[in-house]
Amino acid sequence: MHKILTSAALSIGIVVLGACSIPERGPGVPAADTARALPLGIPNARFFADGDPKAMMEEGVRSFEREQAVWRAEGRKPTRPPPVYFLAVSGGGDNGAFGAGLMNGWTALGTRPEFKMVTGVSTGALVAPFAYLGPDYDDALRDVYTTMTPDKVFRPRGLTAALFDDAMADTGPLAQVIETYANQKMFDAIAREYRKGRLLLIGTTHLDAQRPVIWNIGAIAASGHPGGLELFRKILRASAAIPGLFQPVLFDVEVDGKKYQEMHVDGGAIAQLFLYPPSLNVGAAEFRRERHAYIIRNARLDPDYAASERRTISIAGRAINTMLAASGQNDVLRTYFVSQRDGVDYNLAYIGADFSAPKAGEFDQTYMRALYAYGFQEGKDGRAWHKLPPGLGHTAADKTGSAKR
């Protein structure tokens, strides 16, 4: 009887395992052709942050030329180019409510500039299009981060997803939220601003190639390609695809007539924020302008103490959180030193130790609303911006005061 039961159990196990097949995907791009793969065939749709900076430099030059064309059309002939303002918004999951509140509070203060370039990673990628398009989109940005709940972001899967699926949660609900806000009207507005010489850049991680990708959203919008809007939505979803937790996003590409698929996940797997690749020569003539960089780190930068349980999964989780925190701090330092090298005015905002609202779980609406209100007040009072990252100077005496332009 024991042998019969054992054989039956094994048979059932084999059937169950057979039914739980791993999700399929198309063939990956050959390593040698990684840079040649062009989504939708748009040549300047994206750049590899760790690759040859020439293409990005050329895009910067073209953006300046478009800016000059606007001046000529308006009859303006500035003796020197006006100052430019850069904005970089980091990842941080539901802590993106801080960045959303800060942007809206900054509008209320009345000193928020129009940004020449906006970059975003993960939750920062969701904030970035609204920040790029200006105060007209403040209400929509507020709604996204004050009405968000877990069921609007993901649907949990069973434990078997760890072995037989591509993530522990299905982000179909998030895709619907993105589709609601990243609509044709927004896409057309991005295209118009791109034609004026402004840039919107979103970061993802090309998981197959282990390379950071910078997507040129304005160029995609201005291309007129019928698949552009859907590509934009997929990029936003990919940038927020936390590996293992949220589904990766597959991008269809073609090389020499052959079709392939790339797997992309959260840009924060490599960098949780970026201003511009350090390899760029921003000393070129067209970039020699008064420049101001504003960095929003959607996280605290002080240690987050918590006694760890002596359990494998608890220890692993705590270690991963520690590594992510250290990575975010390193990204902040990197942008600071690059900006100092290039003579760019540096301004950093982050969640201070004075914010202490409790958090019941991921995407807890009460917590997010409190954090939004905190960010809003920081922006409205003009006290958000620090001239130095923590550890490089006194945090109480290094603020800009009013984020004056």
Side-chain angles (χ1 to χ4, degrees):
M1 177 64 72
H2 175 73
K3 289 183 178 180
I4 294 174
L5 290 174
T6 301
S7 299
L10 287 173
S11 298
I12 293 172
I14 292 171
V15 169
V16 170
L17 290 176
C20 298
S21 58
I22 297 174
E24 295 182 357
R25 58 161 294 181
V29 179
D33 295 324
T34 300
R36 296 178 55 220
L38 298 177
L40 303 184
I42 303 171
N44 59 338
R46 67 181 186 183
F47 314 98
F48 286 91
D50 59 349
D52 187 342
K54 181 180 178 182
M56 286 200 70
M57 288 290 293
E58 291 174 346
E59 182 67 18
V61 172
R62 287 192 296 268
S63 75
F64 182 58
E65 291 172 348
R66 293 194 297 273
E67 196 175 6
Q68 288 179 308
V70 171
W71 299 340
R72 289 192 295 270
E74 295 176 348
R76 289 191 291 152
K77 295 181 180 180
T79 55
R80 58 177 297 183
V84 293
Y85 300 88
F86 304 141
L87 175 67
V89 191
S90 85
D94 50 14
N95 282 336
F98 169 71
L102 174 55
M103 294 307 302
N104 286 12
W106 199 355
T107 297
L109 177 64
T111 62
R112 174 178 167 179
E114 179 180 85
F115 298 103
K116 166 73 173 179
M117 182 174 73
V118 177
T119 70
V121 173
S122 196
T123 195
L126 302 181
V127 173
F130 299 100
Y132 175 79
L133 293 175
D136 287 348
Y137 281 77
D138 280 2
D139 289 347
L141 177 58
R142 179 199 61 222
D143 290 346
V144 170
Y145 281 93
T146 58
T147 64
M148 190 67 72
T149 53
D151 61 295
K152 290 183 178 181
V153 180
F154 62 89
R155 287 187 290 265
R157 291 169 169 168
L159 292 177
T160 57
L163 295 175
F164 304 113
D165 224 317
D166 56 0
M168 296 303 297
D170 172 10
T171 53
L174 178 60
Q176 293 176 356
V177 171
I178 290 173
E179 184 174 342
T180 299
Y181 291 96
N183 53 26
Q184 191 64 53
K185 179 181 177 182
M186 170 183 273
F187 203 48
D188 292 343
I190 291 171
R192 286 194 298 271
E193 295 306 311
Y194 175 78
R195 294 187 185 103
K196 296 177 184 178
R198 301 178 60 217
L199 299 173
L200 173 60
L201 308 174
I202 300 299
T204 67
T205 297
H206 187 326
L207 197 58
D208 298 330
Q210 292 186 324
R211 298 184 67 180
V213 176
I214 298 175
W215 294 87
N216 191 2
I217 305 301
I220 296 171
S223 72
H225 195 289
L229 177 58
E230 182 57 28
L231 177 60
F232 172 43
R233 291 167 173 168
K234 291 180 71 173
I235 291 166
L236 293 180
R237 190 177 177 186
S239 188
I242 304 169
L245 180 60
F246 292 167
Q247 294 164 290
V249 175
L250 296 174
F251 290 90
D252 295 321
V253 296
E254 192 172 304
V255 179
D256 296 334
K258 295 182 179 179
K259 298 183 183 299
Y260 300 98
Q261 280 191 326
E262 300 174 346
M263 182 178 288
H264 287 243
V265 296
D266 192 333
I270 290 180
Q272 294 178 41
L273 66 88
F274 68 97
L275 186 57
Y276 52 81
S279 58
L280 284 183
N281 175 23
V282 297
E286 51 275 358
F287 302 117
R288 287 189 199 137
R289 303 163 66 172
E290 182 183 323
R291 293 159 297 176
H292 304 267
Y294 291 90
I295 315 297
I296 298 178
R297 176 66 179 122
N298 288 308
R300 291 175 57 155
L301 291 179
D302 58 320
D304 180 20
Y305 179 85
S308 304
E309 293 182 343
R310 192 173 177 180
R311 289 196 305 154
T312 301
I313 192 167
S314 297
I315 294 170
R318 182 66 175 169
I320 291 172
N321 285 337
T322 301
M323 287 188 289
L324 288 174
S327 172
Q329 292 167 354
N330 289 336
D331 290 334
V332 165
L333 290 171
R334 171 174 48 80
T335 57
Y336 172 75
F337 287 119
V338 169
S339 69
Q340 296 308 290
R341 181 199 69 185
D342 297 336
V344 179
D345 173 50
Y346 181 87
N347 304 275
L348 169 69
Y350 54 89
I351 302 172
D354 56 332
F355 178 75
S356 57
K359 183 177 181 180
E362 295 303 314
F363 301 100
D364 171 16
Q365 192 174 103
T366 301
Y367 170 83
M368 293 179 72
R369 287 180 173 178
L371 184 54
Y372 173 89
Y374 170 82
F376 183 92
Q377 205 61 47
E378 287 279 294
K380 184 179 179 181
D381 292 347
R383 62 172 184 251
W385 304 105
H386 301 257
K387 303 302 292 185
L388 290 169
L392 295 184
H394 297 292
T395 58
D398 65 351
K399 291 198 174 183
T400 60
S402 61
K404 292 181 179 179
R405 286 181 281 173

